[in-house]
Each structure stands twice: as structure tokens, then as C-alpha cells.
Amino acid sequence: MKISFLGGGNMATALIGGLAERGFASADIQAVDLQADSRARLAERFGIRTAPAVDDEVLACDVVVLAVKPQQMKAAVAPLAGRLARQVVVSIAAGLRLADVGRWLGGYDRLVRAMPNTPALIGAGITGLYADPSVDAAGRESAERILGAVGSTVWIANEVQMDAVTAVSGSGPAYVFHFIEALEAAGVSLGFDAATARRLALDTVLGAAKLAAGSDEAPAVLRERVTSKGGTTEAALASMASSGVFDAIVRAVHAANLRGRELGEQLGKD
């Protein structure tokens, strides 16, 4: 499988690195980027071919990964319009709907929309994927292999739900960081120095996530097991319940979902 990346930023770098670790040959990967320093960095680090613009060699591929900012996508894909044959085009641009990308590509429909999250930068991401019905099983497998190089993947049946993927997992790391912030601040307010409070907060979240990931039981069951009647955990959870923390998180994710739809409409305007 030959892969061409349009854009050489952080996520493209993570994907190329993940593919290299999984044995993809550098000769089968290339990247287009306007910035000379980005091209030099990718070429030096991975030994791949880079180019400042789309040329015939870039188009001689099986998959094109669109890894540019959503606001730049229309201009970035213009050189591809009318020049694609049977390549699968994978867009990792947040918010952009396939209908809009396809229109900018001149009516092309072999498209896959992907929403990775930032832990992909360390190979621990989760990516939601949606494929246009015209993409066959082989095309879906190709897209999954690429995004699977930086973490796990899940296929979404309806593109409308990609905004929900963004709300839950795309934005999700920020919610976790925010919780870590609060846990660390609480530790400092209880007398710990900042370094100790951060260590306690980080390792608690990391350990709890690993425990949940390795268990077949629901998070609610795991929570109940930590909560002794009349104990400290019960007191903390009761305080959270009185403050409406659970419902606030659910509302926040719904707000992110709504904003994702709004951004999709704005970004897709011609």
C-alpha cells in the first residue's frame, strides 16, 4: 500500500511514525507540505519522499491522507480535483463533512472521514471512522490500518455521529486534563507541594484508566467497589452529586457535539 500525506504536521508525523514502527517501507510513504523545514524534518526522520506541491508521483498511491487544518482544506485539495482515480481519500480534519470534501475534489466520493485524538501522538489514541458507501472493504481496511498505527479504531455507521465522536473522544483528553488539574489543585490546597500533588493526580488517573480498560465490569461497578458506606469516597461522591458533576459532564459533551455540527456547516461553505 502506497500512502501520500497532504500536510506534514503533528498528526501526520504521528501517523507516519506509527506506520514506520509497524514495518511500512519509507519508499511507500510520501508527504506534501508547503514548509521547507517540515519537509526536511520528515525526510530526515523517516527517510520518506517529500514535495512542496502535488505532482504525479504523489498521485501514484493507493491512499491520500488529508492532514491539513480544516480552514485550509478547500485550497489544499484544489490540486487534487479531477486528478484522482481509485485512491481512497482519508480526511482527518475535524468537523469537515465528506460531502464538502468530495465537492471540493470535483465530485469524488471514495472518501473516509477519521477523527483521531491527541493521545495518537504517543500511539495511544482512539479514532472514529466513517466511510462513504462507495468505499469497498479493501478501502476501509486500508484506512483502518493507517489510523490503527496510532491506537485503536471504531467504525461509525452514520456520519452525523462523527460530531459525537469528536465530542466524546476527540475533545475527551481535555476533559481528563481538566479533572487532573482539579485533583492536583485539591492536593495543593491540602498541603502537598505541586510536584507531589501532580504525581498523585496523574498516577491515580493513569492507574484507574488501566484498571477500567483491563476489566470486563462497567465503570459503575468499579466505582461502587471503591465506595465504602460511610467512608471518604462516599463523602466525595456525595459532594459531586450535590454539585451536579455527572450531569454537567454529560451536558458539556452535548455542547461539544452541537458545536461540532455548527463548525461543520461553517467550514463546508463555499
Side-chain angles (χ1 to χ4, degrees), residues 168-188:
V168 174
S169 62
S171 299
Y175 315 153
V176 178
F177 299 150
H178 195 44
F179 180 77
I180 293 171
E181 279 185 277
L183 204 56
E184 180 183 339
V188 171

Side-chain angles (χ1 to χ4, degrees), residues 208-243:
K210 286 183 176 179
L211 182 61
S215 175
D216 292 329
E217 296 179 311
V221 174
L222 298 176
R223 170 181 53 76
E224 290 167 0
R225 285 188 175 165
V226 185
T227 309
S228 301
K229 188 171 180 60
T232 58
T233 307
E234 185 180 65
L237 291 173
S239 176
M240 290 184 189
S242 67
S243 298

